[in-house]
């Protein structure tokens, strides 16, 4: 992202290893789409469809299916699920989600991520995929294949998990 629009600046940036170049002023949706395309390619996702257990995510149409049935998500819920799916198996902190959702512009408090995750889990559970998103206490959230066990009980050493030490299950 640059304020320089001369062709020489673009060529230099691309020659130095940039994957893309966009000039200011820019459309935020275009920037997000370009970043998502680069992430997909970097992760080896040439196709816009990703599957995790019963969940299928179409990155192009932003459609979410569980066992072939559509799940209606808000834009923020979809963005969180998309990030989790693209980074499957990686613990993502609330700061990562905030940056993905808001990009440093008018960011709310980190607690909002817990609210979005709770609503997302509820919708996925109603569709039959409630165990995909796990909590790693003190670190963040993770998406795993369902066959990898009860992922909502992944404690950090010395920290309680859901249902223990008075915490809600």
């Amino acid at each position: 992202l640059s304020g320089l629009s001369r062709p020489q600046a673009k060529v230099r940036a691309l020659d130095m290893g940039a994957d893309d170049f966009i000039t200011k002023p820019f459309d935020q949706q275009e920037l997000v789409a370009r970043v998502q395309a680069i992430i997909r390619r970097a992760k080896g996702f040439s196709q816009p469809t990703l599957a995790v257990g019963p969940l299928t995510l179409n990155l192009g149409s932003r459609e979410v299916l569980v066992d072939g049935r559509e799940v209606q998500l808000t834009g923020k819920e979809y963005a969180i699920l998309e990030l989790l799916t693209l980074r499957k198996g990686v613990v993502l902190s609330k700061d990562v989600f905030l940056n993905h959702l808001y990009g440093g512009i008018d960011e709310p408090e980190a607690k909002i991520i817990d609210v979005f995750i709770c609503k997302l889990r509820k919708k996925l559970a109603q569709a039959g995929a409630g165990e995909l998103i796990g909590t790693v206490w003190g670190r963040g959230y993770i998406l795993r294949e369902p066959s990898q066990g009860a992922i909502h009980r992944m404690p950090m050493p010395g920290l309680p998990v859901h249902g223990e030490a008075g915490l809600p299950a």
Side-chain angles (χ1 to χ4, degrees), residues 51-116:
V52 179
L55 176 75
T56 303
L57 195 75
N58 186 312
L59 301 172
S61 67
R62 299 175 64 94
E63 182 180 47
V64 176
L65 303 172
V66 172
D67 290 328
R69 293 178 312 234
E70 188 171 2
V71 179
Q72 295 294 320
L73 300 180
T74 67
K76 300 283 192 231
E77 291 165 350
Y78 176 84
I80 286 172
L81 184 58
E82 177 184 70
L83 184 61
L84 282 166
T85 305
L86 288 169
R87 304 288 309 269
K88 179 180 70 175
V90 177
V91 178
L92 302 176
S93 70
K94 291 178 188 178
D95 287 337
V96 169
F97 288 110
L98 285 172
N99 190 46
H100 181 68
L101 294 175
Y102 300 98
I105 301 170
D106 296 327
E107 283 185 6
E109 291 189 33
K111 183 74 175 157
I112 193 68
I113 301 304
D114 297 328
V115 174
F116 288 137

Side-chain angles (χ1 to χ4, degrees), residues 141-163:
Y141 298 99
I142 187 170
L143 186 86
R144 294 251 178 120
E145 294 282 351
S147 62
Q148 292 179 321
I151 60 173
H152 63 283
R153 295 185 177 273
M154 295 176 48
M156 289 289 295
L159 293 175
V161 297
H162 284 292

Side-chain angles (χ1 to χ4, degrees), residues 128-147:
E131 296 295 318
L132 291 177
I133 301 173
T135 300
V136 179
W137 289 103
R139 293 189 50 210
Y141 298 99
I142 187 170
L143 186 86
R144 294 251 178 120
E145 294 282 351
S147 62

